[in-house]
Amino acid sequence: MQIALVGATGKIGRQIARTALDRGHAVTAIVRSDAALPAELDGARIVVAGLDDGQALAAAARGHDVLASAYGPAPGTPADSVATVAGTLIAAARAAGIRRLVAVGGAGSLEVAPGLQLVDTPDFPEAYKPYALAHREALKVFQAADDLDWTFYSPAAEIGPGEARGTFRTAARTLLADAQGHSRISYPDYAAAFVDEIERPQFVRQIATVAY
Ligand SMILES: NC(=O)c1ccc[n+]([C@@H]2O[C@H](COP(=O)([O-])OP(=O)(O)OC[C@H]3O[C@@H](n4cnc5c(N)ncnc54)[C@H](OP(=O)(O)O)[C@@H]3O)[C@@H](O)[C@H]2O)c1
């Protein structure tokens, strides 16, 4: 498949790029600077385009089967840029004639009980709250885009470096946790699930997640 990826230099994005490339997909990494690219992007086509330039983004995305995003606000950037970027991605996808949009989301918007999102629980860490609330706003932006086949793919509550187990669970809407109550996924397994979703859409116009 032809995959255009925003945020491809990030901790999650570079792993998505690597996984997709290793599976034989053509990946266009849309980066704001090509000065120092991670090794994971070897084999990707690199296009420099800023997220503040909708026309350039649409031009970079045109011709791809899917526009994917692992955007995250850089240090010093307001968390609510996540929702702004959601709107930018949607506009670019429409302008480029791409129906399929898959974005890394936030676990805070997953339900821990019917009608109760993780971010609204009393123990949710204060430090992550601005990002979780920003992702919730981004989710609303995607939910309003009913002309597109979007997926808001949230990691488990914890994501980080680790092994590629190749086995994990996925679900729509609800936080997944193991028998000990831990909601975790490694970067490589998250990326595997994300690329699975690109290849075989299961969660169109839904928030979904992956965890062990
Ligand atoms: N459990 C959870 O819910 C959970 C956990 C972790 C992360 N996340 C979410 O996952 C996403 C990715 O996280 P991450 O840890 O991979 O983030 P990261 O390492 O900080 O990567 C962020 C990516 O966004 C890009 N970016 C930032 N500002 C940009 C701009 N103005 N224009 C173009 N690109 C820009 C960065 O590019 P540069 O390299 O050019 O800066 C980088 O590729 C975030 O939205 C984060 O909130 C969720």
Side-chain angles (χ1 to χ4, degrees):
M1 293 178 72
Q2 303 277 337
I3 301 169
L5 177 63
V6 166
T9 52
K11 293 182 287 298
I12 295 178
R14 67 181 68 174
Q15 194 65 57
I16 292 171
R18 191 67 257 150
T19 301
L21 288 162
D22 287 347
R23 291 190 192 180
H25 300 297
V27 175
T28 298
I30 302 175
V31 299
R32 55 178 167 166
S33 162
D34 58 1
L37 296 174
E40 286 89 340
L41 297 188
D42 286 356
R45 182 170 159 252
I46 306 297
V47 175
V48 178
L51 292 176
D52 51 355
D53 183 345
Q55 275 193 335
L57 185 60
R62 192 161 291 124
H64 293 80
D65 299 307
V66 54
L67 176 56
S69 173
Y71 168 81
T77 308
D80 61 11
S81 63
V82 173
T84 310
V85 167
T88 304
L89 292 166
I90 287 166
R94 285 178 178 143
I98 300 173
R99 272 192 75 88
R100 185 77 174 119
L101 198 47
V102 184
V104 179
S109 304
L110 296 164
E111 288 186 349
V112 293
L116 177 63
Q117 293 183 357
L118 181 63
V119 65
D120 295 323
T121 57
D123 295 336
F124 192 85
E126 280 302 319
Y128 296 142
K129 229 174 192 170
Y131 299 96
L133 294 173
H135 274 295
R136 176 150 74 189
E137 291 310 306
L139 175 58
K140 289 179 189 163
V141 173
F142 284 114
Q143 285 168 331
D146 53 10
D147 57 324
L148 297 180
D149 294 338
W150 55 268
T151 299
F152 186 83
Y153 215 153
S154 297
E158 289 173 39
I159 181 169
E163 58 176 346
R165 293 189 196 174
T167 52
F168 40 75
R169 295 175 298 146
T170 61
R173 210 177 57 254
T174 53
L175 185 78
L176 291 171
D178 64 18
Q180 287 73 43
H182 296 136
S183 173
R184 286 194 321 107
I185 195 75
S186 70
Y187 288 137
D189 281 331
Y190 175 81
F194 191 99
V195 178
D196 287 350
E197 178 62 22
I198 288 175
E199 293 171 343
R200 294 179 302 280
Q202 283 194 85
F203 301 113
V204 173
R205 286 186 218 109
Q206 294 183 76
I207 174 173
T209 190
V210 52
Y212 295 123

